Amino acid sequence: MTKYREILRLYSQGISQRNIALSCSCSRNTVANVIRKSKACGISWPLAEEVTDGELHRQFFPKKAVSERKMPDLAYLHKELRKQGVTLSLLWHEYCETCRLAGELPLMYSQFCYHYQQYAQKHRATMHIPRKPAEICEIDWAGKTLSIIDRATGELLPAYIFVSALSYSQYAYAEAFFDQKVESWIDAHVHMFEYSQGVTKMLVPDNLKTGVSAPDWYTPVINRTYHELAEHYNTAVVPARSKRPKDKPNAEGAVGFISTWIIAALRHREFFSLRNLNRAIREKLQELNRRPFQKKTGSRLSIFLEAEKSMLLPLPDSPFELATWKQATVQFNYHISVEKNHYSAPYEYIKQRVDVRITRQMIEVFYNHTRICSHPRIHGKIGQYSTVASHMPADHQAYIAWDAQRFKSWAQKIGPNTVVTVTYILSSFKVEQQAFRSCMGLLKLADKYSVARLETACSIALSYTPRPSLKSVKNILATGQDTLPRDDSTPDSTRSASHGFTHGAAYYGRKNR
């Protein structure tokens, strides 16, 4: 600003305008204008202490009034310019049309731009936010890509570059992937943590779908798999605000550096696999992290090793395993279908909608965010079943528990003749399972007649034939033959061989009574 006070002081001492101009580092025309304006305004030396050069400038050169022309809504212009394709020229034409319809005079384009620039400068203030070591890791995808040559077709396949930077040291990480899907996003984070050998307290990604399911200014919804990764590594995800790149300036800066020192540096090299490309990226990345800063001492690597690495959160014992989620309904056979294989769930949840977490080795089923069961994941042939007996109703559990050995064990608790009878019944069918109902019916007779009577009835049946049946034992008990006195002088096998199915007079006489 012109030194108005000094010009007036020197002029009051009788110094020439040429010498005043040399002393105040201004032109002679400026000195002449100031002296002329001071005389016109009646201002002379000495001046009051509170009168500044700025106050003198406002008195000498007051702003011209523009009240006859309509001022634009500067806040509206600032908001509209954020939209894609909107320019000041377009907004000026719209402003002129509005003024014409209202019968008012608009500003010329130069004045329109000037007033907006003055407004915008006041709203471009930035604040330096000091970052603490190991506090924040900023994450993004680079805009530019590299290419991989398909060996079979010669086609160029795009490779997308994942980029991250620690806010304190600006220690960077980069890795190439064939896509930007959730699987690549999660793998990139796992490899990033392994590269830095620790975890920051917060992750600040952009509002991309692989990280944030529902962007929101106040309550963004984090992708479920991404949230699980954060829980596994004991960190928190705090997404940057939409269209606010300054929320993650280090990641934006890292994108620029990596675009220059890695992507552009590898532009003349040919790669035929993702592994070779990532090997080359790793070499360039190490060079970038070792490169000294231009405006401060040290490098990204040196600051990371000295001040940040020791403060990172430790890695968990095992890396995060990627999981995908789907929803399924528990069917009437108390199973859900996952990738054409079937897994049981407790029968109480039949027809309920459940969430299924799928990993490489496990299938986990959740209802209202509570895990109700899990299974080892089935691989290979489709249509297989994984069933837990405790998930079945009680009658189904009893049915599936039926087998030959179980019936023989039940028979042993009754007696040896019952064991022989059950063994023959089991062997009398082509398929063993066909005999289960007969065996169950035989053993249930003990509940109706008692264990002792069933064992006796089986003994009598065996005395009649070596091939007893449920019907024969049931008839013996129904007619009470097991309660009649028996002649035990002759062995059962001898009686059976000499007399066969002979009934005594007492048997028929009992019927007549």
Side-chain angles (χ1 to χ4, degrees):
M1 178 176 284
T2 305
K3 300 176 182 178
Y4 298 106
R5 290 175 60 89
E6 183 66 8
I7 291 173
L8 294 176
R9 187 185 69 82
L10 295 175
Y11 180 73
S12 68
Q13 295 178 2
I15 299 174
S16 67
Q17 293 185 16
R18 182 187 294 273
N19 289 330
I20 292 174
L22 292 173
S23 177
C24 295
S25 302
C26 61
S27 68
R28 284 180 291 172
N29 289 336
T30 300
V31 174
N33 287 334
V34 170
I35 293 172
R36 186 174 64 254
K37 290 285 186 180
S38 66
K39 291 179 179 179
C41 296
I43 298 174
S44 62
W45 190 265
L47 300 174
E49 290 292 335
E50 63 271 10
V51 178
T52 63
D53 287 337
E55 179 64 27
L56 291 172
H57 177 79
R58 284 190 290 273
Q59 293 185 39
F60 293 160
F61 306 100
K63 291 184 178 180
K64 295 180 181 180
V66 292
S67 57
E68 68 275 10
R69 295 181 180 268
K70 182 182 178 181
M71 287 294 295
D73 186 347
L74 299 176
Y76 169 77
L77 301 181
H78 194 65
K79 180 180 179 182
E80 289 298 303
L81 280 173
R82 297 176 184 174
K83 299 179 180 179
Q84 188 174 5
V86 178
T87 63
L88 273 175
S89 178
L90 172 64
L91 293 173
W92 181 70
H93 282 286
E94 293 176 352
Y95 157 74
C96 290
E97 182 65 20
T98 303
C99 290
R100 186 186 66 81
L101 295 175
E104 297 175 312
L105 288 175
L107 294 173
M108 299 301 291
Y109 182 65
S110 58
Q111 284 296 305
F112 180 85
C113 293
Y114 169 78
H115 286 292
Y116 172 71
Q117 289 168 2
Q118 295 298 312
Y119 174 87
Q121 286 177 2
K122 297 176 183 178
H123 291 77
R124 288 175 182 166
T126 59
M127 180 178 68
H128 172 69
I129 301 176
R131 301 296 189 186
K132 298 178 182 178
E135 183 180 33
I136 294 176
C137 179
E138 301 170 13
I139 303 159
D140 204 352
W141 288 100
K144 297 180 180 179
T145 61
L146 287 168
S147 298
I148 296 174
I149 302 174
D150 190 331
R151 292 181 182 273
T153 63
E155 180 185 2
L156 293 179
L157 306 175
Y160 303 91
I161 312 300
F162 171 89
V163 178
S164 71
L166 301 181
S167 295
Y168 183 78
S169 63
Q170 300 179 38
Y171 190 63
Y173 177 76
E175 186 176 356
F177 293 89
F178 279 123
D179 55 51
Q180 298 182 16
K181 296 180 180 179
V182 174
E183 291 80 2
S184 301
W185 179 252
I186 296 300
D187 286 343
H189 279 71
V190 173
H191 300 162
M192 174 188 70
F193 294 141
E194 293 173 350
Y195 182 77
S196 58
Q197 299 179 12
V199 184
T200 56
K201 296 178 182 178
M202 289 188 290
L203 304 176
V204 181
D206 208 346
N207 281 275
L208 66 171
K209 284 292 184 182
T210 50
V212 182
S213 300
D216 185 83
W217 186 276
Y218 299 105
T219 56
V221 179
I222 308 302
N223 178 284
R224 190 165 188 173
T225 304
Y226 195 28
H227 180 71
E228 285 189 346
L229 176 134
E231 287 186 334
H232 183 81
Y233 286 98
N234 196 26
T235 185
V237 179
V238 184
R241 295 172 295 172
S242 298
K243 300 179 182 180
R244 291 293 186 274
K246 290 184 180 180
D247 283 3
K248 48 182 181 58
N250 292 287
E252 298 292 338
V255 167
F257 280 111
I258 287 170
S259 296
T260 301
W261 297 104
I262 295 181
I263 298 177
L266 297 175
R267 68 190 184 280
H268 295 307
R269 293 180 58 177
E270 294 182 345
F271 301 96
F272 296 91
S273 69
L274 195 64
R275 178 178 297 179
N276 291 337
L277 173 58
N278 278 323
R279 187 181 294 117
I281 289 175
R282 183 64 63 90
E283 293 172 359
K284 294 292 184 181
L285 182 65
Q286 292 174 350
E287 294 177 8
L288 174 64
N289 284 326
R290 290 192 179 97
R291 182 173 288 107
F293 289 116
Q294 292 183 350
K295 298 182 180 180
K296 59 181 180 180
T297 58
S299 64
R300 292 173 174 81
L301 179 61
S302 63
I303 297 177
F304 171 73
L305 294 176
E306 292 170 6
E308 195 159 24
K309 183 179 179 181
S310 61
M311 301 183 69
L312 292 172
L313 300 175
L315 294 173
D317 295 334
S318 59
F320 178 74
E321 185 179 12
L322 176 65
T324 56
W325 289 83
K326 66 168 291 186
Q327 287 191 322
T329 301
V330 182
Q331 300 300 320
F332 284 110
N333 64 352
Y334 40 86
H335 283 72
I336 59 172
S337 178
V338 178
E339 296 182 349
K340 299 183 179 180
N341 286 311
H342 309 280
Y343 303 86
S344 66
Y347 73 92
E348 294 89 350
Y349 296 94
I350 286 175
K351 301 309 293 179
Q352 296 296 326
R353 195 79 170 165
V354 295
D355 296 315
V356 185
R357 183 176 183 267
I358 307 169
T359 66
R360 203 169 286 174
Q361 301 297 331
M362 292 293 294
I363 299 291
E364 296 176 280
V365 183
F366 293 80
Y367 181 75
N368 286 344
H369 308 290
T370 301
R371 191 175 75 167
I372 58 176
C373 64
S374 63
H375 296 264
R377 187 173 177 180
I378 299 173
H379 296 279
K381 187 176 68 172
I382 64 174
Q384 300 182 69
Y385 280 78
S386 175
T387 306
V388 177
S390 60
H391 295 166
M392 301 177 173
D395 54 341
H396 290 204
Q397 293 183 37
Y399 178 82
I400 200 170
W402 292 359
D403 60 13
Q405 186 58 44
R406 191 175 185 89
F407 286 114
K408 291 178 182 178
S409 299
W410 288 346
Q412 286 176 355
K413 297 176 182 179
I414 297 175
N417 293 300
T418 308
V419 172
V420 174
T421 305
V422 167
T423 302
Y424 173 73
I425 293 174
L426 288 170
S427 63
S428 62
F429 292 86
K430 289 183 178 181
V431 178
E432 194 175 63
Q433 283 77 2
Q434 291 177 302
F436 287 174
R437 292 192 177 185
S438 297
C439 293
M440 178 61 73
L442 178 70
L443 298 174
K444 283 289 184 180
L445 293 174
D447 297 336
K448 184 177 181 180
Y449 295 102
S450 79
V451 171
R453 289 192 62 185
L454 176 59
E455 173 64 15
T456 303
C458 289
S459 173
I460 295 172
L462 287 170
S463 69
Y464 296 157
T465 175
R467 297 183 291 276
S469 64
L470 169 62
K471 187 175 182 180
S472 62
V473 176
K474 197 171 183 179
N475 286 336
I476 291 173
L477 290 169
T479 57
Q481 295 183 50
D482 59 299
T483 60
L484 299 176
R486 300 177 62 197
D487 183 7
D488 294 332
S489 60
T490 306
D492 289 344
S493 58
T494 305
R495 290 197 301 270
S496 176
S498 57
H499 301 289
F501 293 98
T502 305
H503 296 286
Y507 173 79
Y508 294 102
R510 181 174 180 274
K511 272 189 147 186
N512 291 335
R513 290 197 299 273

